[in-house]
Amino acid sequence: MSLAVLRSRALSGMEAPAVNVEVHLARGLPSFTIVGLPDTEVRESKDRVRAALQNAGFEIPQRRITVNLAPADLPKESGRFDLPIALGILAASGQIPGARIDRYEFAGELSLSGELRPIHGALAMTFAMHRRCEGAARAFILPLANADEAALVPGATILPAQTLLEVCAHFAARDVECALKRHEPQPVITVESHPDFSDVKGQINAKKALEVAAAGRHSVLLVGPPGSGKTMLATRFAGLLPAMSADEALEAAAVHSLAGSFTAEQWMRRPFRSPHHTTSGVALVGGGSVPRPGEISLAHCGVLFLDELPEFDRRVLEVLRQPLEAGVITISRAARQADFPARFQLIAAMNPCPCGYLGHPSNKCHCTIESVYRYQDRISGPLLDRIDIQIEVPAMAPPTLGAQTDGEPSAVIAGRVASAFGAQLARQGKANEALTTHEVDEHCRLDAQGAEVLRAAMQRLHWSARAYHRVLKVARTIADLAHEECIGADRVAEAIQFRRGLRER
């Protein structure tokens, strides 16, 4: 047989479209050609494959070798096609049996010695294969280093290998002992390592605001002077969130798999990402000639913490506006387009003025009102409008700092959060933050006094329609934490106070 066809997968955003690796041996001067829109890494695979075959003891056919990666209009990147190309050459030249090759999919980068090196996106590829392959599900042969993450897909048959020789022995084996064994992942014991809220002294209002944010998946802006505990509160926030569902865990793990940063210890743990304020827009939202997920996608189903918010470049912050509402980011380039999930909770922190001490009891601030406004204007109104909770974190008095810690532990607060979140799922099937305008009208009804309080606040503070709906969602979450079906005036007033972290002009 001079033709062999093997199956593999490319990556396009979160998708993993199927790729047929067609290897043809023809008469003529010896050559090795790869076609099908390969990038530099794929074109270089012919040198890796040739050396791996020779060092594994196989013969390189002295014929014209043509490798076609179909479909031809789909860009191919990375070294994941090394393994199927090498096996295709061996099958086409009759050095291994090719009868059972169509029962499998293959991915793996080859070293010059024939060892299999790990690849990016193994989880996304396995999920796509298990979900979309026609007929009976195929087994997936890939490097041993990727076996644990790929085996997270329920029902997937993962056959890991360490070398090219092990894969070849699997197809040439006449007894079960030489065949590759299905990988059984080790049970992952998830240990939450987030710092505990009981470490935080004082800041009762800020703690309550973060509890509400965790229960309703609301975004938060913490405003206060240096040393008031903003970062301390934010780093403990992830410990309050409800446990991840299996679907959320798979989505988050798949994103990290694409970035090559997934480890077994991350399974069922909500991500916490804290990029530096020098981060570029591409690093934050994703991109590149081959689109890769950015920080907002790596924070999917978790927390994105932006400390010193006004120090970020304004153009970088503006890219957050669309994903904050849509929960997805679309990266468009001339040659390709990729969609990445971005349902994250934004927790941001900032000082109230350039020196940071506006309103401090020490009266150390000498900033002019114009400089304060210029500093706060680094954050645009449309972005602030999308942040549900904007709470002041005041400086802490010395007696509070010297007192014994008496705050509630994270586990107690998380219990209330889980109860409120469960009520939201039972009522509307989603978190309060994700309610549409129609669903807000249906599920966030106010009594007469509550409606009057909100109407007066709208007139006095000149809020937008978006701010109106976000206050309603926060009030709904506060009522859920109190196990109240109707939203009263006191819940509305509390939600209004949670949106006044920056001083009114």
Side-chain angles (χ1 to χ4, degrees):
M1 181 175 65
S2 61
L3 175 67
V5 180
L6 293 86
R7 293 182 172 88
S8 187
R9 291 194 176 266
L11 288 175
S12 178
M14 289 295 292
E15 299 297 320
V19 172
N20 285 340
V21 180
E22 304 169 347
V23 180
H24 181 246
L25 306 182
R27 295 178 181 178
L29 293 175
S31 64
F32 197 150
T33 306
I34 300 177
V35 298
L37 210 57
D39 71 353
T40 303
E41 294 175 57
V42 180
R43 288 195 297 268
E44 290 175 347
S45 68
K46 59 185 177 182
D47 298 311
R48 294 191 297 270
V49 168
R50 182 182 285 111
L53 290 176
Q54 289 176 338
N55 290 319
F58 293 102
E59 178 186 350
I60 304 295
Q62 296 303 306
R63 303 174 71 180
R64 182 175 183 139
I65 304 173
T66 303
V67 178
N68 179 39
L69 305 177
D73 59 346
L74 177 68
K76 322 296 189 308
E77 47 83 24
S78 90
R80 70 175 59 88
F81 299 106
D82 289 2
L83 178 60
I85 290 173
L87 293 175
I89 292 174
L90 295 177
S93 61
Q95 298 182 66
I96 64 170
R100 295 184 294 134
I101 281 181
D102 61 344
R103 304 178 189 175
Y104 303 86
E105 292 197 9
F106 307 87
E109 180 182 334
L110 286 172
S111 70
L112 299 185
S113 63
E115 294 182 356
L116 287 177
R117 288 176 172 163
I119 57 174
H120 293 174
L123 183 57
M125 296 168 69
T126 308
F127 185 72
M129 177 198 69
H130 189 68
R131 180 182 56 182
R132 297 183 177 180
C133 64
E134 299 82 5
R138 291 186 287 269
F140 196 9
I141 296 179
L142 43 57
L144 180 61
N146 296 117
D148 282 336
E149 64 176 277
L152 294 174
V153 178
T157 302
I158 306 301
L159 303 179
Q162 291 182 297
T163 65
L164 173 63
L165 279 174
E166 289 183 9
V167 181
C168 296
H170 173 78
F171 290 103
R174 296 184 179 180
D175 55 66
V176 180
E177 293 300 324
C178 297
L180 295 175
K181 305 296 189 297
R182 180 171 180 172
H183 182 70
E184 298 295 339
Q186 298 296 323
V188 179
I189 301 176
T190 303
V191 179
E192 293 294 341
S193 59
H194 303 294
D196 200 273
F197 249 79
S198 60
D199 300 333
V200 183
K201 299 180 180 180
Q203 303 298 4
I204 303 302
N205 289 337
K207 289 180 180 178
K208 176 63 175 179
L210 290 180
E211 180 179 342
V212 173
R217 304 286 181 91
H218 303 290
S219 52
V220 182
L221 174 63
L222 303 172
V223 184
S228 58
K230 303 184 297 294
T231 302
M232 194 175 186
L233 287 163
T235 54
R236 285 155 174 77
F237 177 75
L240 307 183
L241 298 176
M244 297 183 81
S245 66
D247 289 342
E248 286 180 326
L250 269 177
E251 287 182 0
V255 175
H256 282 265
S257 175
L258 289 173
S261 60
F262 177 78
T263 60
E265 291 74 18
Q266 295 173 308
W267 179 245
M268 297 298 290
R269 287 185 56 192
R270 292 196 180 273
F272 181 88
R273 306 291 297 186
S274 181
H276 192 259
H277 62 258
T278 56
T279 298
S280 67
V282 171
L284 193 63
V285 302
S289 57
V290 178
R292 287 284 186 262
E295 290 291 337
I296 64 173
S297 296
L298 294 174
H300 179 61
C301 297
V303 179
L304 178 68
F305 176 45
L306 301 183
D307 203 2
E308 306 296 345
L309 188 66
E311 302 303 326
F312 283 80
D313 187 277
R314 180 165 177 149
R315 290 173 297 178
V316 173
L317 292 179
E318 292 306 294
V319 302
L320 293 174
R321 286 159 55 174
Q322 184 264 344
L324 268 174
E325 292 197 324
V328 66
I329 181 71
T330 300
I331 307 297
S332 295
R333 297 294 181 262
R336 62 181 72 181
Q337 178 175 309
D339 294 328
F340 296 106
R343 293 194 307 274
F344 60 92
Q345 276 190 260
L346 175 64
I347 307 295
M350 63 175 287
N351 296 327
C353 68
C355 77
Y357 291 98
L358 180 66
H360 196 276
S362 64
N363 293 320
K364 291 192 291 185
C365 178
H366 298 288
C367 300
T368 64
I369 192 65
E370 290 81 7
S371 66
V372 172
Y373 287 161
R374 279 197 303 270
Y375 182 77
Q376 295 183 357
D377 284 344
R378 295 181 185 178
I379 308 166
S380 69
L383 178 60
L384 276 176
D385 211 30
R386 288 167 166 83
I387 300 179
D388 299 345
I389 297 176
Q390 303 166 23
I391 189 73
E392 182 180 3
V393 184
M396 298 185 55
T400 304
L401 289 173
Q404 293 292 325
T405 302
D406 57 355
E408 288 184 300
S410 296
V412 175
I413 304 175
R416 295 196 296 267
V417 167
S419 176
F421 186 67
Q424 296 166 38
L425 293 181
R427 181 178 60 242
Q428 67 231 7
K430 62 176 74 173
N432 287 334
E433 186 277 334
L435 292 176
T436 64
T437 302
H438 173 74
E439 291 169 334
V440 167
D441 295 337
E442 180 181 355
H443 300 296
C444 302
R445 295 179 179 176
L446 308 177
D447 61 15
Q449 291 181 335
E452 178 60 27
V453 169
L454 184 55
R455 184 193 62 79
M458 287 286 296
Q459 289 182 342
R460 179 178 180 276
L461 301 173
H462 307 289
W463 279 342
S464 66
R466 179 187 288 113
Y468 170 82
H469 286 109
R470 290 186 179 271
V471 169
L472 279 177
K473 295 176 185 180
V474 173
R476 175 71 270 172
T477 302
I478 297 172
D480 288 338
L481 283 167
H483 305 288
E484 296 175 356
E485 188 62 32
C486 183
I487 304 175
D490 53 345
R491 307 304 177 196
V492 175
E494 188 174 359
I496 292 171
Q497 292 303 313
F498 280 163
R499 200 175 173 85
R500 300 189 63 186
L502 296 177
R503 298 192 171 189
E504 303 296 335
R505 303 189 184 184

